Amino acid sequence: MAKTVIMEHPMIRHKIGIIRRKDTSTKDFREIISEIAMLMCYEATRDLEMHPVEIETPICRTTVEELGQKLAVIPILRAELGMVEGMLTMFPAARVGHIGLYRNEETLEPVEYYCKLPKDCAEREVFVVDPMLATGGSASAAIALLKARGVKHIRFLCVIAAPEGIRRLQEEHPDVDIYIGTVDDHLNENGYIVPGLGDAGDRIFGTI
Ligand code: PRP
Ligand code: URA
């Protein structure tokens, strides 16, 4: 079983508290979710492989370490677009793929409508990002789609998770590391996370 990491950092907890508020503006919501993604990225990249490279400082030759893996960020449209900017601040050379999924409001099952991935995605360390892990249907479907295209190294990052979604992801993709900003109480009868923050896509794009 891969690991499930819940972020403990006070900066992340504080910022999640702000985006939960219903009177937080679209502008602030967008900026803060990007900052949260950047902070979470720091934790989720802690075990990336490094390789030694010989360089010259103004004083002498020495060996430094460089990241040894090619990276890709895959947001699940559309709410996740808010997190991509923060992730790219941390690793600007990463490629970005997009998977378009929305939840059918009655069945709560994900419906795929778009997929465009970097050509060499299968060789990359892939970070799938989504602010909300509710039933887990969208995240699980996105990860299955990546695996079907040969991607082997996948990490999943979300800001708020429901226990139901965590269980589903762990069961359906036991090989994927999961990084979570915070775990909420439960899902309501409409599949929304409680207390949550509402519909993440609507809040990021102001489409409420
Ligand atoms: C939201 C969210 C996740 C999904 C989580 O997307 O961004 O992708 O719901 O729910 P799940 O774990 O039950 O699948 P939504 O379907 O609202 O689409 P949107 O981002 O286009 O608004
Ligand atoms: N998707 C959201 O955007 N919010 C939830 O609470 C659940 C799914």
Coordinates of all heavy atoms in Angstrom, one line a residue, residues 45-105:
T45 N 6.8 16.4 -2.8 CA 8.0 16.1 -3.6 C 9.2 15.7 -2.7 O 10.3 15.6 -3.2 CB 8.4 17.3 -4.5 OG1 8.4 18.5 -3.6 CG2 7.4 17.6 -5.6
R46 N 8.9 15.5 -1.5 CA 10.0 15.3 -0.5 C 10.9 14.1 -0.9 O 12.1 14.1 -0.6 CB 9.3 15.0 0.9 CG 10.2 15.2 2.1 CD 9.3 15.0 3.3 NE 8.7 16.2 3.8 CZ 9.4 17.1 4.4 NH1 10.6 17.0 4.7 NH2 8.8 18.2 4.9
D47 N 10.3 13.1 -1.5 CA 11.1 11.9 -1.8 C 11.4 11.7 -3.3 O 11.7 10.6 -3.8 CB 10.3 10.6 -1.3 CG 9.0 10.5 -2.0 OD1 8.6 11.4 -2.7 OD2 8.3 9.4 -1.9
L48 N 11.5 12.8 -4.0 CA 11.9 12.7 -5.4 C 13.3 12.3 -5.5 O 14.1 12.7 -4.7 CB 11.7 14.1 -6.2 CG 10.2 14.4 -6.6 CD1 10.3 15.8 -7.4 CD2 9.6 13.4 -7.4
E49 N 13.7 11.5 -6.6 CA 15.1 11.1 -6.7 C 15.9 12.3 -7.2 O 15.5 13.1 -7.9 CB 15.1 10.1 -7.8 CG 14.8 8.7 -7.4 CD 14.7 7.7 -8.5 OE1 15.3 8.0 -9.6 OE2 13.9 6.8 -8.4
M50 N 17.2 12.2 -6.7 CA 18.2 13.3 -7.0 C 19.3 12.5 -7.7 O 19.6 11.4 -7.4 CB 18.7 14.0 -5.8 CG 17.7 14.5 -4.8 SD 16.9 16.0 -5.5 CE 18.2 17.2 -5.5
H51 N 20.1 13.3 -8.6 CA 21.3 12.7 -9.1 C 22.4 13.7 -9.0 O 22.2 14.9 -9.1 CB 21.1 12.0 -10.4 CG 20.8 13.0 -11.5 ND1 21.8 13.8 -12.1 CD2 19.6 13.3 -12.1 CE1 21.2 14.5 -13.0 NE2 19.9 14.3 -13.0
P52 N 23.7 13.2 -8.8 CA 24.8 14.1 -8.6 C 25.3 14.7 -9.9 O 25.3 14.0 -11.0 CB 25.9 13.2 -8.0 CG 25.5 11.8 -8.5 CD 24.0 11.8 -8.7
V53 N 25.6 16.0 -9.9 CA 26.2 16.7 -11.1 C 27.4 17.5 -10.6 O 27.3 18.1 -9.6 CB 25.1 17.7 -11.7 CG1 25.7 18.3 -12.9 CG2 23.8 17.0 -11.9
E54 N 28.5 17.4 -11.4 CA 29.7 18.1 -11.1 C 29.6 19.6 -11.7 O 29.2 19.7 -12.8 CB 30.9 17.4 -11.6 CG 32.1 17.7 -10.8 CD 33.3 16.9 -11.2 OE1 33.1 15.7 -11.2 OE2 34.4 17.5 -11.4
I55 N 29.8 20.6 -10.8 CA 29.8 22.0 -11.3 C 31.0 22.7 -10.8 O 31.8 22.2 -10.0 CB 28.5 22.7 -10.8 CG1 28.4 22.7 -9.2 CG2 27.2 22.1 -11.3 CD1 28.1 24.0 -8.6
E56 N 31.1 24.0 -11.2 CA 32.2 24.8 -10.7 C 31.6 26.0 -10.0 O 30.7 26.7 -10.5 CB 33.0 25.3 -11.9 CG 34.4 25.5 -11.6 CD 35.3 25.5 -12.8 OE1 35.0 24.8 -13.8 OE2 36.2 26.3 -12.9
T57 N 31.9 26.2 -8.7 CA 31.5 27.4 -8.0 C 32.6 28.5 -8.3 O 33.7 28.1 -8.9 CB 31.4 27.2 -6.5 OG1 32.8 27.1 -6.0 CG2 30.7 25.9 -6.2
P58 N 32.5 29.7 -7.9 CA 33.6 30.7 -8.1 C 34.9 30.3 -7.4 O 36.0 30.8 -7.7 CB 33.0 32.0 -7.4 CG 31.5 31.8 -7.5 CD 31.3 30.4 -7.3
I59 N 34.8 29.3 -6.4 CA 35.9 28.9 -5.6 C 36.6 27.6 -6.1 O 37.8 27.5 -6.2 CB 35.5 28.7 -4.2 CG1 34.7 29.9 -3.6 CG2 36.7 28.3 -3.3 CD1 35.5 31.2 -3.6
C60 N 35.8 26.6 -6.5 CA 36.3 25.3 -6.9 C 35.3 24.4 -7.6 O 34.1 24.8 -7.6 CB 36.8 24.6 -5.6 SG 35.4 24.1 -4.5
R61 N 35.7 23.2 -8.0 CA 34.7 22.3 -8.5 C 34.1 21.5 -7.4 O 34.7 21.3 -6.3 CB 35.4 21.2 -9.4 CG 35.9 21.8 -10.8 CD 36.3 20.8 -11.7 NE 35.2 20.0 -12.3 CZ 34.4 20.5 -13.2 NH1 34.5 21.7 -13.7 NH2 33.4 19.7 -13.7
T62 N 32.8 21.2 -7.5 CA 32.1 20.4 -6.5 C 31.0 19.7 -7.1 O 30.7 19.8 -8.3 CB 31.6 21.4 -5.4 OG1 31.1 20.6 -4.3 CG2 30.5 22.2 -5.8
T63 N 30.4 18.8 -6.3 CA 29.2 18.0 -6.8 C 28.0 18.5 -6.1 O 27.9 18.7 -4.9 CB 29.4 16.5 -6.4 OG1 30.7 16.1 -7.0 CG2 28.3 15.7 -7.0
V64 N 27.0 18.8 -6.9 CA 25.7 19.2 -6.4 C 24.6 18.2 -6.8 O 24.9 17.3 -7.6 CB 25.2 20.6 -6.9 CG1 26.2 21.7 -6.4 CG2 25.1 20.7 -8.4
E65 N 23.4 18.3 -6.3 CA 22.4 17.4 -6.6 C 21.3 18.1 -7.5 O 21.0 19.2 -7.3 CB 21.7 16.9 -5.4 CG 22.6 15.9 -4.6 CD 21.8 15.4 -3.4 OE1 21.4 16.2 -2.5 OE2 21.6 14.2 -3.3
E66 N 20.8 17.3 -8.5 CA 19.7 17.8 -9.3 C 18.6 16.8 -9.3 O 18.8 15.6 -9.1 CB 20.2 18.0 -10.7 CG 21.0 19.2 -10.9 CD 21.4 19.5 -12.4 OE1 21.1 18.6 -13.3 OE2 22.0 20.5 -12.6
L67 N 17.4 17.4 -9.5 CA 16.3 16.4 -9.6 C 16.5 15.5 -10.8 O 16.9 15.9 -11.9 CB 15.0 17.2 -9.9 CG 14.4 18.0 -8.7 CD1 13.2 18.8 -9.1 CD2 14.0 17.0 -7.6
G68 N 16.2 14.2 -10.6 CA 16.5 13.2 -11.6 C 15.3 12.8 -12.4 O 15.4 12.0 -13.3
Q69 N 14.1 13.3 -12.1 CA 12.9 12.8 -12.8 C 12.3 13.9 -13.6 O 12.3 15.0 -13.2 CB 11.9 12.2 -11.7 CG 12.3 10.9 -11.1 CD 11.9 10.9 -9.7 OE1 12.3 11.7 -8.8 NE2 11.0 9.9 -9.4
K70 N 11.7 13.5 -14.7 CA 10.8 14.4 -15.4 C 9.4 14.4 -14.8 O 8.9 13.3 -14.5 CB 10.8 14.0 -16.9 CG 12.1 14.1 -17.6 CD 12.0 14.0 -19.1 CE 11.7 12.6 -19.6 NZ 11.6 12.5 -21.0
L71 N 8.8 15.6 -14.7 CA 7.6 15.7 -14.0 C 6.4 16.1 -14.9 O 6.6 16.7 -15.9 CB 7.7 16.7 -12.8 CG 8.9 16.5 -11.9 CD1 8.9 17.6 -10.9 CD2 8.9 15.2 -11.2
A72 N 5.2 15.7 -14.5 CA 4.0 16.3 -15.2 C 2.9 16.5 -14.2 O 2.8 15.8 -13.2 CB 3.5 15.2 -16.2
V73 N 2.2 17.6 -14.4 CA 1.1 17.9 -13.5 C -0.2 17.7 -14.4 O -0.3 18.2 -15.5 CB 1.1 19.4 -13.1 CG1 -0.1 19.7 -12.2 CG2 2.4 19.7 -12.4
I74 N -1.1 16.9 -13.8 CA -2.4 16.7 -14.6 C -3.6 17.2 -13.7 O -4.0 16.5 -12.8 CB -2.6 15.1 -14.8 CG1 -1.3 14.5 -15.3 CG2 -3.7 14.9 -15.8 CD1 -1.0 14.7 -16.8
P75 N -4.1 18.3 -14.1 CA -5.3 18.8 -13.4 C -6.5 18.1 -14.0 O -6.6 17.9 -15.2 CB -5.4 20.3 -13.7 CG -4.6 20.4 -15.0 CD -3.6 19.3 -15.0
I76 N -7.5 17.8 -13.1 CA -8.8 17.2 -13.6 C -9.7 18.4 -13.7 O -10.0 19.1 -12.7 CB -9.4 16.2 -12.6 CG1 -8.4 15.1 -12.2 CG2 -10.6 15.6 -13.2 CD1 -8.8 14.2 -11.1
L77 N -10.1 18.7 -15.0 CA -10.9 19.9 -15.2 C -12.2 19.9 -14.4 O -12.7 18.8 -14.3 CB -11.1 20.1 -16.7 CG -9.9 20.2 -17.6 CD1 -10.3 20.2 -19.1 CD2 -9.0 21.4 -17.2
R78 N -12.6 21.0 -14.0 CA -12.0 22.3 -14.3 C -11.5 22.9 -13.0 O -10.6 23.8 -13.1 CB -13.0 23.2 -15.0 CG -14.1 23.7 -14.0 CD -15.3 24.4 -14.7 NE -16.3 24.1 -13.7 CZ -17.1 25.1 -13.3 NH1 -17.0 26.3 -13.7 NH2 -18.0 24.8 -12.4
A79 N -12.0 22.5 -11.8 CA -11.6 23.2 -10.6 C -10.1 23.2 -10.3 O -9.5 24.1 -9.7 CB -12.3 22.5 -9.4
E80 N -9.4 22.1 -10.8 CA -8.0 21.9 -10.5 C -7.1 22.9 -11.2 O -5.9 23.1 -10.9 CB -7.6 20.5 -11.0 CG -8.4 19.4 -10.3 CD -9.8 19.5 -10.6 OE1 -10.2 19.7 -11.8 OE2 -10.6 19.4 -9.7
L81 N -7.6 23.6 -12.2 CA -6.8 24.6 -12.9 C -6.3 25.6 -11.9 O -5.2 26.2 -12.1 CB -7.6 25.3 -14.0 CG -7.9 24.5 -15.2 CD1 -8.9 25.2 -16.2 CD2 -6.7 24.1 -15.9
G82 N -7.1 25.9 -10.8 CA -6.6 26.8 -9.8 C -5.4 26.4 -9.1 O -4.7 27.2 -8.5
M83 N -5.1 25.1 -9.1 CA -3.9 24.6 -8.4 C -2.7 24.5 -9.3 O -1.5 24.5 -8.8 CB -4.2 23.2 -7.9 CG -5.3 23.1 -6.8 SD -5.7 21.5 -6.3 CE -4.4 21.0 -5.3
V84 N -2.9 24.5 -10.6 CA -1.7 24.3 -11.5 C -0.7 25.4 -11.4 O 0.5 25.1 -11.3 CB -2.2 24.2 -13.0 CG1 -1.0 24.1 -13.9 CG2 -3.1 23.0 -13.1
E85 N -1.1 26.6 -11.3 CA -0.2 27.7 -11.2 C 0.8 27.6 -10.0 O 2.0 27.8 -10.2 CB -0.9 29.0 -11.1 CG -0.2 30.2 -11.6 CD -1.0 31.5 -11.5 OE1 -2.1 31.5 -12.0 OE2 -0.5 32.4 -10.7
G86 N 0.2 27.2 -8.9 CA 1.0 27.0 -7.7 C 2.0 25.9 -7.9 O 3.2 26.0 -7.5
M87 N 1.6 24.8 -8.5 CA 2.5 23.7 -8.7 C 3.6 24.1 -9.7 O 4.8 23.8 -9.5 CB 1.8 22.5 -9.3 CG 0.5 22.1 -8.6 SD 0.7 20.8 -7.4 CE 1.6 19.5 -8.2
L88 N 3.3 24.9 -10.7 CA 4.3 25.2 -11.7 C 5.3 26.3 -11.1 O 6.4 26.4 -11.6 CB 3.6 25.8 -13.0 CG 2.9 24.7 -13.8 CD1 2.3 25.4 -15.0 CD2 3.8 23.6 -14.2
T89 N 4.9 27.0 -10.1 CA 5.8 27.9 -9.4 C 7.0 27.0 -8.8 O 8.1 27.5 -8.8 CB 5.1 28.7 -8.3 OG1 4.0 29.3 -8.9 CG2 6.0 29.7 -7.7
M90 N 6.6 25.9 -8.3 CA 7.6 25.0 -7.7 C 8.4 24.2 -8.7 O 9.6 24.1 -8.6 CB 6.9 24.0 -6.8 CG 6.3 24.6 -5.6 SD 7.4 25.4 -4.5 CE 8.1 24.0 -3.6
F91 N 7.8 23.7 -9.8 CA 8.6 23.1 -10.9 C 8.2 23.6 -12.3 O 7.4 22.9 -12.9 CB 8.6 21.6 -10.8 CG 7.5 20.8 -10.2 CD1 6.3 20.6 -11.0 CD2 7.5 20.3 -8.9 CE1 5.3 19.9 -10.4 CE2 6.4 19.6 -8.4 CZ 5.3 19.4 -9.2
P92 N 8.7 24.7 -12.7 CA 8.3 25.4 -13.9 C 8.5 24.6 -15.2 O 7.9 24.8 -16.2 CB 9.1 26.7 -13.9 CG 10.1 26.6 -12.8 CD 9.8 25.5 -11.9
A93 N 9.4 23.6 -15.1 CA 9.7 22.8 -16.4 C 8.8 21.6 -16.5 O 8.9 20.9 -17.5 CB 11.2 22.4 -16.3
A94 N 7.9 21.4 -15.6 CA 7.0 20.3 -15.7 C 6.1 20.4 -16.9 O 5.7 21.6 -17.3 CB 6.2 20.2 -14.4
R95 N 5.7 19.3 -17.5 CA 4.7 19.3 -18.5 C 3.3 19.3 -17.9 O 3.1 18.8 -16.8 CB 4.8 18.1 -19.5 CG 6.1 18.1 -20.2 CD 6.1 19.2 -21.2 NE 7.5 19.5 -21.6 CZ 8.1 18.9 -22.7 NH1 7.5 18.0 -23.3 NH2 9.3 19.2 -23.0
V96 N 2.3 19.8 -18.6 CA 0.9 19.8 -18.0 C 0.0 19.1 -19.0 O -0.1 19.4 -20.2 CB 0.4 21.3 -17.8 CG1 -1.0 21.3 -17.2 CG2 1.4 22.1 -17.0
G97 N -0.7 18.1 -18.5 CA -1.8 17.4 -19.2 C -3.1 17.8 -18.7 O -3.2 18.4 -17.6
H98 N -4.2 17.6 -19.4 CA -5.5 17.9 -18.9 C -6.5 16.7 -19.0 O -6.5 16.1 -20.1 CB -6.1 19.1 -19.6 CG -5.4 20.3 -19.4 ND1 -4.3 20.7 -20.2 CD2 -5.5 21.3 -18.4 CE1 -3.8 21.9 -19.7 NE2 -4.5 22.2 -18.6
I99 N -7.2 16.4 -18.0 CA -8.3 15.4 -18.1 C -9.6 16.1 -17.7 O -9.7 16.7 -16.7 CB -8.0 14.2 -17.1 CG1 -6.7 13.5 -17.5 CG2 -9.2 13.2 -17.1 CD1 -6.3 12.3 -16.6
G100 N -10.5 16.0 -18.6 CA -11.8 16.7 -18.4 C -12.8 15.6 -17.9 O -13.1 14.7 -18.6
L101 N -13.3 15.9 -16.6 CA -14.3 15.0 -16.0 C -15.3 15.8 -15.3 O -14.9 16.8 -14.7 CB -13.7 14.1 -15.0 CG -12.7 12.9 -15.4 CD1 -12.2 12.3 -14.1 CD2 -13.4 11.9 -16.2
Y102 N -16.6 15.5 -15.4 CA -17.5 16.1 -14.5 C -18.4 15.1 -13.8 O -18.5 14.0 -14.4 CB -18.4 17.2 -15.2 CG -19.4 16.6 -16.2 CD1 -20.6 16.2 -15.8 CD2 -19.0 16.5 -17.5 CE1 -21.5 15.7 -16.7 CE2 -19.9 16.0 -18.4 CZ -21.2 15.6 -18.0 OH -22.0 15.0 -18.9
R103 N -18.9 15.4 -12.7 CA -19.8 14.4 -12.0 C -21.2 14.5 -12.5 O -21.8 15.6 -12.5 CB -19.8 14.7 -10.5 CG -18.6 14.3 -9.7 CD -18.9 14.1 -8.2 NE -19.6 15.2 -7.6 CZ -19.9 15.2 -6.3 NH1 -19.5 14.2 -5.5 NH2 -20.6 16.2 -5.8
N104 N -21.8 13.4 -12.9 CA -23.2 13.4 -13.2 C -23.9 13.7 -11.8 O -23.7 13.0 -10.8 CB -23.6 12.0 -13.7 CG -25.1 11.9 -14.0 OD1 -25.9 12.2 -13.1 ND2 -25.5 11.6 -15.2
E105 N -24.8 14.7 -11.8 CA -25.3 15.2 -10.5 C -26.3 14.2 -9.9 O -26.5 14.2 -8.7 CB -26.0 16.5 -10.7 CG -24.9 17.6 -10.8 CD -25.5 19.0 -10.9 OE1 -26.7 19.2 -10.8 OE2 -24.7 19.9 -11.1

